[in-house]
């Protein structure tokens, strides 16, 4: 009913419901919670190039391999998913970065997701020609990153995707002095969220490890569901024997 109420047809409803049912069993969450979380993800990242289940595969893989649960990652994503798409932050990078920062800092997904929303909204505003509340405009933002060898514009003068910008900055981060790191984080993340930007860059190797996980996660949800099913069947059999 949740998916029919979104105006989807029979096949689309079935495909989404199948993923949600598996996620419910694996995570122990309710249908409503999982449906809301996956809808936010699919609405902002799904373009038909990957299966609907692949998004759940990646969540499940990260939840199993890091100190962040699938619920935490989904909750954090809901805070900035809409902005992520507009600045060229892919689902792989969004989930990998979020899982890295929440796992390493143990801050709530709500806090980290809200911080990411602010950081990426700054770039969104700059790309629209805005001057931010702290006086930073596109020229200042671009100049700060250029000083450390990162050009936010491509050869045609268009803004690069956030995936690319983060990759280029992450590759240079450890070679920068603390003063430079702080100043750069303040420009990119703003005064309120620069600590989160530092946490992201300080843990960029962990982000890359997470990227490897999500890129090799095909079938993870099915695997975890089968483990649940075997466990459930075993428990049911033991109860029956005891009766």
């Amino acid at each position: 009913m949740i998916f029919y109420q979104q105006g989807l047809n029979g096949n689309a409803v079935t495909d989404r419901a199948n993923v949600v049912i598996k996620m419910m069993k694996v995570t122990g969450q309710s249908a409503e919670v999982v449906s809301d979380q996956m809808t936010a993800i699919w609405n902002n990242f799904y373009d038909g190039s990957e299966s609907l289940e692949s998004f759940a595969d990646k969540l499940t893989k990260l939840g199993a391999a890091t100190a962040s649960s699938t619920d935490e990652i989904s909750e954090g994503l809901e805070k900035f998913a809409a902005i992520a798409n507009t600045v060229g932050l892919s689902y792989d990078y969004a989930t990998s970065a979020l899982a890295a920062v929440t796992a390493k800092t143990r801050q709530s997904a709500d806090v980290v997701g809200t911080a990411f929303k602010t950081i990426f909204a700054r770039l969104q505003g700059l790309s629209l020609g805005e001057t931010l509340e702290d006086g930073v405009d596109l020229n200042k933002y671009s100049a700060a990153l250029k000083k450390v060898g990162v050009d936010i514009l491509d050869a045609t003068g268009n803004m690069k995707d956030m995936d690319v910008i983060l990759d280029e900055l992450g590759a240079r981060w450890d070679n920068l002095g603390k003063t430079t790191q702080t100043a750069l984080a303040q420009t990119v993340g703003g005064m309120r969220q620069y600590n989160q930007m530092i946490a992201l860059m300080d843990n960029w190797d962990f982000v890359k490890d997470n990227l490897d996980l999500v890129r090799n996660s095909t079938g993870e949800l099915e695997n975890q569901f089968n483990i649940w099913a075997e466990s459930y069947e075993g428990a049911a059999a033991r109860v029956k024997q005891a009766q």
Side-chain angles (χ1 to χ4, degrees):
M1 288 303 299
I2 290 170
F3 292 121
Y4 274 119
Q5 287 167 358
Q6 294 176 13
L8 300 171
N9 63 30
N11 289 335
V13 168
T14 299
D15 290 343
R16 284 164 173 75
N18 285 337
V19 174
V20 168
I21 289 169
K22 291 177 186 177
M23 285 290 288
M24 287 169 54
K25 302 305 182 183
V26 169
T27 65
Q29 296 171 296
S30 69
E32 288 186 346
V33 169
V34 176
S35 297
D36 286 346
Q37 291 175 342
M38 294 310 300
T39 294
I41 289 170
W42 290 325
N43 283 353
N44 287 289
F45 293 103
Y46 178 65
D47 61 5
S49 62
E50 297 181 83
S51 70
L52 291 166
E53 189 159 322
S54 70
F55 293 87
D57 283 336
K58 294 169 183 180
L59 274 182
T60 308
K61 188 80 169 184
L62 286 173
T66 72
S68 296
S69 68
T70 57
D71 183 44
E72 282 185 303
I73 300 168
S74 299
E75 181 186 351
L77 276 175
E78 286 186 275
K79 299 295 182 181
F80 66 95
I83 292 176
N85 189 44
T86 64
V87 297
L89 183 73
S90 68
Y91 180 72
D92 288 4
Y93 274 74
T95 51
S96 297
L98 184 61
V101 176
T102 56
K104 290 296 185 179
T105 66
R106 294 316 302 153
Q107 296 179 91
S108 72
D110 181 77
V111 168
V112 177
T114 299
F116 281 8
K117 178 180 178 180
T118 299
I119 291 169
F120 301 136
R122 285 172 67 82
L123 184 62
Q124 182 186 43
L126 293 172
S127 67
L128 296 173
E130 298 176 6
T131 297
L132 305 177
E133 59 183 20
D134 56 2
V136 173
D137 58 16
L138 184 58
N139 288 334
K140 290 181 180 179
Y141 190 99
S142 178
L145 285 164
K146 251 184 186 176
K147 285 182 180 179
V148 298
V150 177
D151 196 336
I152 65 172
L153 303 178
D154 62 22
T156 62
N158 294 317
M159 190 84 72
K160 292 179 180 176
D161 285 343
M162 197 69 198
D163 286 6
V164 177
I165 295 173
L166 289 176
D167 259 339
E168 293 180 359
L169 182 56
R172 293 164 174 78
W173 187 257
D174 287 343
N175 295 322
L176 305 177
K178 292 296 182 183
T179 301
T180 301
Q181 288 178 344
T182 300
L184 191 57
Q186 289 174 347
T187 299
V188 175
M191 292 301 295
R192 289 180 296 173
Q193 303 296 353
Y194 78 92
N195 282 323
Q196 298 287 2
M197 189 66 199
I198 290 175
L200 176 60
M201 288 294 103
D202 281 349
N203 292 291
W204 193 248
D205 285 343
F206 190 20
V207 176
K208 291 193 293 184
D209 290 341
N210 287 345
L211 282 168
D212 288 338
L213 288 174
V214 300
R215 289 166 177 167
N216 293 281
S217 62
T218 302
E220 184 65 22
L221 178 62
E222 186 70 24
N223 291 337
Q224 292 294 326
F225 178 73
N226 289 337
I227 291 171
W228 172 86
E230 291 174 7
S231 176
Y232 178 83
E233 289 170 2
R238 288 192 295 273
V239 170
K240 186 175 181 180
Q241 290 171 1
Q243 289 175 341

